[in-house]
């Protein structure tokens, strides 16, 4: 059962998202592992907000997961690639351990036109690996980062 709602990110989400992007614990497994500065965040956020069609290749769309009180709990990122969607997610550290990452992944399927999803996860990020495995993703490349892929939705 899903306890969260998913909606496109809007400008008023900037402070919430930047609080995660600038948190070393949240981004330790993203990119170079360093917190994002405000300029870098603003550039990425602006690009994500300007993306209107999730079907456009290589365009990143950001969605916000909210709880029953409409309080934001996390970010879902989707990027259309040639034959799949690349998926990423952050959960607000105050909400860790409540299953929200798995719910974000489940809700992502509503935005993938039935295509499979893929995610890259650093080997040491065992929590994220478990989220993907519970969501039905299979390991397809065990380098570092590891690549997981979901089956296409029927």
């Amino acid at each position: 059962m899903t306890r969260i709602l998913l909606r496109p990110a809007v400008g008023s989400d900037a402070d919430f998202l930047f609080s995660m992007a600038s948190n070393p614990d949240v981004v330790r497994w993203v990119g170079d592992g360093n917190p994002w500065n405000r300029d870098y965040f603003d550039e990425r956020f602006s690009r994500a907000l300007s993306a209107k069609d999730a079907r456009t290749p290589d365009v990143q769309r950001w969605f916000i997961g909210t709880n029953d009180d409409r309080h934001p709990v996390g970010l879902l990122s989707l990027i259309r690639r040639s034959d799949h969607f690349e998926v990423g997610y952050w959960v607000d550290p105050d909400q860790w351990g409540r299953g929200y990452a798995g719910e974000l992944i489940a809700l992502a399927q509503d935005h993938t036109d039935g295509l499979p999803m893929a995610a890259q996860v650093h080997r040491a990020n065992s929590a994220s690996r478990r989220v993907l495995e519970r969501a039905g993703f299979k390991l397809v490349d065990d380098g570092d980062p590891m690549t997981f892929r979901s089956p296409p939705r029927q």
Side-chain angles (χ1 to χ4, degrees):
M1 179 171 138
T2 302
R3 301 164 293 157
I4 61 175
L5 301 172
L6 195 63
R7 63 167 173 77
V10 295
S12 60
D13 293 318
D15 289 340
F16 168 69
L17 292 171
F18 183 67
S19 75
M20 290 190 296
S22 60
N23 183 323
D25 293 327
V26 174
V27 298
R28 72 185 287 193
W29 306 115
V30 177
D32 64 6
N34 290 315
W36 296 8
N37 66 43
R38 191 66 197 222
D39 289 339
Y40 180 71
F41 169 81
D42 287 344
E43 176 187 320
R44 295 282 302 263
F45 188 50
S46 177
R47 277 188 286 164
L49 287 180
S50 67
K52 300 300 179 207
D53 183 5
R55 293 173 191 88
T56 304
D58 303 323
V59 172
Q60 185 173 38
R61 295 215 39 221
W62 285 1
F63 298 87
I64 303 296
T66 61
N67 65 15
D68 293 336
D69 298 328
R70 305 248 189 252
H71 181 78
V73 298
L75 164 75
L76 173 72
S77 165
L78 289 174
I79 304 172
R80 172 71 187 262
R81 301 301 187 195
S82 61
D83 66 343
H84 69 278
F85 275 86
E86 182 179 322
V87 63
Y89 45 90
W90 292 343
V91 174
D92 180 357
D94 292 340
Q95 307 297 328
W96 284 357
R98 297 183 184 175
Y100 288 134
E103 290 182 35
L104 287 169
I105 294 294
L107 291 169
Q109 294 178 352
D110 294 339
H111 300 274
T112 62
D113 297 325
L115 290 175
M117 292 183 286
Q120 290 193 323
V121 179
H122 289 277
R123 184 173 300 283
N125 189 350
S126 58
S128 196
R129 289 195 337 250
R130 284 191 304 274
V131 164
L132 294 171
E133 289 165 351
R134 280 193 297 259
F137 283 64
K138 303 293 182 205
L139 180 65
V140 295
D141 181 345
D142 83 351
D144 199 5
M146 305 165 84
T147 301
F148 288 81
R149 196 167 173 119
S150 73
R153 192 159 124 181
Q154 302 299 325

